[in-house]
Amino acid sequence: MTDRARPPMQADALTTLTAWLDFYRATLIGKVEGLTGEQVREASVPPSSLTLLGLVRHLASVERNWFRQFLGGEDVPSLYPRQSGTGHDGGFELGSADLTEARAAWEAEVARARRVVEEAGPDGTGSLGGNAVSVVWILTHVIAEYARHVGHADLLRERIDGSTGV
């Protein structure tokens, strides 16, 4: 089981937000631990095609977009370009993807995101659609994204093997 440190109850905003984000990151990875490649590809319920593997890939894209592109100003290509007209990012389109590849990409994006946030500092800003956006706003947005998808992961994992909690 992935170690999940509880966020501090008394800390500055940047420390608190990054700790909550790390908590949700660890929760996501805890949801895929111990599963087979086939299990992480299992869709929830028709008509949804949502899978744990798709969530890991999608959240790697979220990390890249919000921290590297919008906060760090990097010109990086999409991690998983969209292949169909689904409206979702390409991370949900599994093709031949596997968890080893997805987790490695996710871990690399998380590591880079941590560096970008550290470099930005508590007063850092990025750009979103030509508007300044604060590091605090971006962290809050990404926490909300993780919280929503970790909820999906809870349900997917329970459907796969009955596991709850984590």
Side-chain angles (χ1 to χ4, degrees), residues 62-85:
V62 166
E63 296 273 356
R64 174 176 280 214
N65 294 341
W66 285 100
F67 294 112
R68 292 179 68 182
Q69 290 182 337
F70 302 137
L71 182 59
E74 289 183 53
D75 184 17
V76 292
S78 176
L79 191 56
Y80 302 111
R82 188 177 326 165
Q83 303 298 314
S84 69

Side-chain angles (χ1 to χ4, degrees), residues 12 14-15 18 66-74 111-127 133-139:
D12 61 87
L14 190 62
T15 300
T18 56
W66 285 100
F67 294 112
R68 292 179 68 182
Q69 290 182 337
F70 302 137
L71 182 59
E74 289 183 53
R112 182 68 182 121
R114 286 183 175 129
R115 289 192 299 275
V116 170
V117 169
E118 184 177 323
E119 290 166 7
D123 298 321
T125 59
S127 178
V133 60
S134 73
V135 67
V136 169
W137 192 97
I138 290 172
L139 283 163

Side-chain angles (χ1 to χ4, degrees), residues 21 81 96:
L21 181 52
S96 63

Side-chain angles (χ1 to χ4, degrees), residues 10-159:
Q10 294 289 321
D12 61 87
L14 190 62
T15 300
T16 300
L17 291 169
T18 56
W20 272 109
L21 181 52
D22 282 340
F23 177 84
Y24 283 116
R25 286 168 171 158
T27 303
L28 173 72
I29 292 305
K31 294 297 174 184
V32 300
E33 286 185 339
L35 295 178
T36 67
E38 185 176 291
Q39 287 173 313
V40 297
R41 297 176 72 85
E42 284 186 31
S44 56
V45 293
S48 176
S49 60
L50 189 64
T51 65
L52 286 169
L53 179 56
L55 287 173
V56 172
R57 288 167 48 97
H58 170 67
L59 287 165
S61 291
V62 166
E63 296 273 356
R64 174 176 280 214
N65 294 341
W66 285 100
F67 294 112
R68 292 179 68 182
Q69 290 182 337
F70 302 137
L71 182 59
E74 289 183 53
D75 184 17
V76 292
S78 176
L79 191 56
Y80 302 111
R82 188 177 326 165
Q83 303 298 314
S84 69
T86 63
H88 298 294
D89 75 40
F92 289 114
E93 299 172 2
L94 302 183
S96 63
D98 66 34
L99 186 57
T100 301
E101 166 273 323
R103 186 165 177 173
W106 177 83
E107 288 173 352
E109 292 301 330
V110 167
R112 182 68 182 121
R114 286 183 175 129
R115 289 192 299 275
V116 170
V117 169
E118 184 177 323
E119 290 166 7
D123 298 321
T125 59
S127 178
L128 178 61
N131 298 306
V133 60
S134 73
V135 67
V136 169
W137 192 97
I138 290 172
L139 283 163
T140 302
H141 176 80
V142 174
I143 289 166
E145 182 95 5
Y146 265 89
R148 178 174 55 253
H149 290 314
V150 164
H152 297 139
D154 285 338
L155 296 171
L156 284 162
R157 181 64 189 252
E158 184 175 9
R159 183 187 169 279

